Amino acid sequence: MIHFERRELLRLAALGAAGSLTAACADGSAPRAAVQAADTSTTPAAGTSTAPDADALPRLAAGLPFEISTGPRTRPAVALTFHGQGDPAIAAALLAEAARADARITVLAVGSWLDEQPQMAHRILDGGHELGNHTQTHRSISAMAPDAAYQEIARCAARLKQLTGTTGRWFRPSQAMDCTATVAAQARRAGYSHCLGYDLDSLDYTDPGPDAVTRTVLDAVRPGSVVSMHFGHPGTVAALPAILDGLHRRGLRAVTTSELFS
């Protein structure tokens, strides 16, 4: 919660106004309808990709804690992680920029976005990227009662499994930088072994312009960084080539989260 408050202050400072406490990584969309019972379907939808199963993913390093936000500082790799929501055309443009640079990213998808844009699961996985869970409706999960938090996680997990055959390895809480004890318990209950935080916030959701996003990332990135970024913002797409070029000049590779922690 401390991290979240700091992030909100950064966001408000970037916006130059003390606005409402809208989601720190929201795209401006309104909260979805009330949580319903989790969909337990496990059959991948026709025409969609099947994600690599757990055995096919890179084996994670032994001894990783439940909550992780920084990779090893001794390897020349970083994980660019994206909130998965927003205009699919912007998301497709971002994936195209990643492909041009042969970069791999991790998308923590919002379940309601996948409800509306199921084809995006296919496009993300076919690019060699990784797909994880960022709750069903992206409401403030830290403020929810245990069962409501569980439904947020489980509904998105069910959607991921329906579309790809797997729930994804990573869970990231919505509107929070890290998991509270309650959210962590519900994530475990939904089958997740890790809560994925981050150590570098690009602040791209404040739409400060691509140059500012690029500076924020390249001024602070280090080997092992987990960078928080977002689909749905044109400035993020415009900034990505310069970010990837800057990482390359520093000898850093953009890899999936599983590769970073393997």
Side-chain angles (χ1 to χ4, degrees):
M1 294 296 291
I2 293 173
H3 294 299
F4 174 55
E5 292 168 358
R6 174 180 174 275
R7 190 182 189 202
E8 282 299 321
L9 290 172
L10 287 170
R11 184 181 75 86
L12 293 171
L15 290 171
S20 64
L21 288 177
T22 308
C25 51
D27 65 351
S29 58
R32 297 286 171 186
V35 174
Q36 300 174 358
D39 177 5
T40 56
S41 172
T42 58
T43 304
T48 58
S49 293
T50 298
D53 60 31
D55 292 337
L57 290 171
R59 185 185 297 274
L60 298 182
L64 284 178
F66 176 76
E67 183 148 1
I68 48 181
S69 58
T70 301
R73 300 297 192 191
T74 55
R75 294 167 54 192
V78 300
L80 302 181
T81 64
F82 289 81
H83 162 122
Q85 196 176 35
D87 186 338
I90 296 175
L94 193 142
L95 292 172
E97 293 296 345
R100 284 193 190 94
D102 196 28
R104 299 291 179 267
I105 65 174
T106 300
V107 180
L108 290 312
V110 176
S112 59
W113 183 67
L114 292 177
D115 290 343
E116 297 167 354
Q117 311 293 340
Q119 78 282 2
M120 292 307 302
H122 173 90
R123 297 195 65 166
I124 291 164
L125 294 175
D126 284 356
H129 310 298
E130 195 162 19
L131 191 59
N133 183 326
H134 197 33
T135 74
Q136 179 63 22
T137 64
H138 200 265
R139 294 189 296 162
S140 179
I141 196 166
S142 301
M144 292 181 179
D147 283 346
Y150 172 74
Q151 286 293 326
E152 277 290 306
I153 302 167
R155 287 181 63 198
C156 185
R159 191 59 167 145
L160 286 166
K161 187 152 189 173
Q162 182 188 44
L163 291 171
T164 71
T166 172
T167 60
R169 176 177 269 171
W170 307 102
F171 164 70
R172 173 170 288 171
S174 47
Q175 300 193 36
M177 191 172 183
D178 43 27
C179 283
T180 63
T182 296
V183 173
Q186 301 314 310
R188 288 189 176 97
R189 179 183 169 192
Y192 289 93
S193 299
H194 298 285
C195 174
L196 179 63
Y198 51 88
D199 65 330
L200 174 51
D201 189 344
S202 70
L203 298 176
D204 60 344
Y205 57 91
T206 65
D207 294 321
D211 291 344
V213 174
T214 301
R215 284 196 304 273
T216 298
V217 174
L218 294 182
D219 285 353
V221 73
R222 301 167 57 193
S225 286
V226 178
V227 185
S228 172
M229 304 182 78
H230 295 74
F231 280 2
H233 295 264
T236 304
V237 180
L240 191 61
I243 291 172
L244 292 172
D245 183 60
L247 294 176
H248 177 72
R249 283 187 277 104
R250 296 170 193 213
L252 296 173
R253 293 184 303 118
V255 301
T256 66
T257 301
S258 285
E259 290 177 270
L260 184 69
F261 289 99
S262 63

